[in-house]
Amino acid sequence: MPDFDTGKYAAYIWPSFAVSALFLAAMIADSLARARRWKREVEARTKDRP
Amino acid sequence: MFAFLANPDRFMAFSRRAAPGFGILAAVLIAAGLWFTFTAPEDYQQGDTVRIMFIHVPAAYLAMFSYVCLGVASFLSLIYRHAIADAAAKACAPLGAGFTALALITGSLWGKPMWGTWWVWDARLTSVLVLFLFWLGYIALRAAIDDETRAGRAAAILALVGLVNLPVVHFSVEWWNSLHQGVTVFAAKAENRLPPAYLIPMALMSLGYMALFGSLWLVRIRAEVWRRRAQVLALQAAGG
């Protein structure tokens, strides 16, 4: 079973995992938001065309 | 492969399925990697801080791998003027900068308890910092020039110049006396290699980060293709 007791080094280990999770989550959110935004823009402009 | 994907319609059809596929693969690999990260035994020297290695080393691999991707995309963009190659180079930069920043931050968080300092001007650390500055320079240069074609070409040249730094990053621990440890994952001598208890989480997390990069890169290239299409449509609407 996983052992989450990181002992005296917890102050270094958990921030490492927290920063990594934060960066990866930010990269995922930004990439998806960007794609969604421009896809909608193209769809809206295509719909408006005569 | 490059010629096949250079066609925007073919690329969009391919990436529509490949991006979520890589994303699912990344989630599975990272979940398995995290399981092994926290079931691996403490290292006899590093203690529990060895667990930082399972997120630091994959980030460092991706920092270099993504720069190779930037270099290839920039080369294809400069020589063949492929629009998708230019979009791929542009889309790669924020991801590469993110992974390089992660390698530097997690390395620093490991260095403080093990070396007694957050930072040393060691050859490996300094060359990775230079790599990070190349990423920032690439992003800044693209943003600084209004003409997108000129911006793409100037940034591609900068990206190709930055490739020189990659062998320096890789071989820095062999060329100079370094505080940073030498090659362990691919070490020639068996006694210097990682034992399976550490190699398994390292490999799973590295492949997971690689799959995540692949997925996000495709998503960002798709976003860039749509942005350019939206621009063309806006110009057509303004002209008509």
Side-chain angles (χ1 to χ4, degrees):
Chain A
M1 288 302 287
D3 177 14
F4 295 111
D5 178 14
T6 46
K8 62 179 177 177
Y9 297 121
Y12 303 100
I13 296 168
W14 292 115
S16 300
F17 281 86
V19 167
S20 298
L22 203 72
F23 265 64
L24 297 185
M27 284 197 272
I28 293 167
D30 180 59
S31 303
L32 292 176
R34 210 170 266 265
R36 211 162 286 160
R37 178 191 162 193
W38 289 113
K39 187 185 180 191
R40 279 201 196 127
E41 183 88 16
V42 168
E43 283 169 353
R45 289 193 178 277
T46 313
K47 211 192 305 179
D48 292 344
R49 288 179 96 182
Chain B
M1 183 72 174
F2 288 130
F4 176 79
L5 292 176
N7 178 305
D9 289 333
R10 277 199 296 251
F11 172 80
M12 293 304 263
F14 162 78
S15 59
R16 195 165 66 89
R17 290 173 188 280
F22 278 129
I24 292 166
L25 183 65
V28 171
L29 287 167
I30 290 174
L34 284 174
W35 173 274
F36 283 102
T37 291
F38 288 99
T39 51
E42 282 180 32
D43 181 68
Y44 78 107
Q45 275 184 322
Q46 303 176 46
D48 272 305
T49 61
V50 72
R51 302 184 207 288
I52 298 176
M53 287 296 108
F54 306 137
I55 48 174
H56 166 71
V57 175
Y61 283 156
L62 260 293
M64 292 184 68
F65 177 74
S66 56
Y67 203 92
V68 172
C69 293
L70 175 75
V72 171
S74 297
F75 177 79
L76 293 173
S77 160
L78 265 183
I79 304 298
Y80 298 106
R81 306 275 165 96
H82 282 169
I84 290 286
D86 182 53
K90 188 180 177 185
C92 186
L95 300 175
F99 282 115
T100 311
L102 264 185
L104 288 168
I105 294 167
T106 54
S108 187
L109 281 161
W110 180 87
K112 180 63 180 166
M114 291 297 104
W115 293 342
T117 180
W118 298 104
W119 181 265
V120 281
W121 291 102
D122 169 275
R124 171 60 69 81
L125 276 69
T126 307
S127 56
V128 174
L129 180 65
V130 170
L131 178 66
F132 183 59
L133 294 177
F134 266 108
W135 283 118
L136 295 187
Y138 181 90
I139 294 168
L141 186 59
R142 278 203 89 118
I145 303 172
D146 286 335
D147 181 337
E148 282 203 38
T149 311
R150 280 186 56 219
R153 272 186 223 150
I157 292 167
L158 177 67
L160 292 177
V161 171
L163 282 175
V164 173
N165 187 44
L166 290 188
V168 178
V169 174
H170 183 72
F171 293 109
S172 54
V173 289
E174 293 176 22
W175 291 345
W176 293 284
N177 282 325
S178 174
L179 194 56
H180 196 283
Q181 72 183 69
V183 179
T184 42
V185 177
F186 301 107
K189 289 182 183 170
E191 65 264 28
N192 291 341
R193 280 185 215 143
L194 280 179
Y198 297 143
L199 190 61
I200 291 169
M202 188 86 83
L204 286 169
M205 292 298 280
S206 299
L207 292 171
Y209 271 40
M210 185 89 76
L212 180 66
F213 168 74
S215 174
L216 295 182
W217 194 22
L218 290 176
V219 169
R220 293 185 86 92
I221 300 171
R222 288 170 67 79
E224 184 61 19
V225 170
W226 277 319
R227 188 187 69 78
R228 291 176 188 195
R229 278 186 189 167
Q231 257 184 352
V232 171
L233 289 168
L235 282 173
Q236 284 174 349

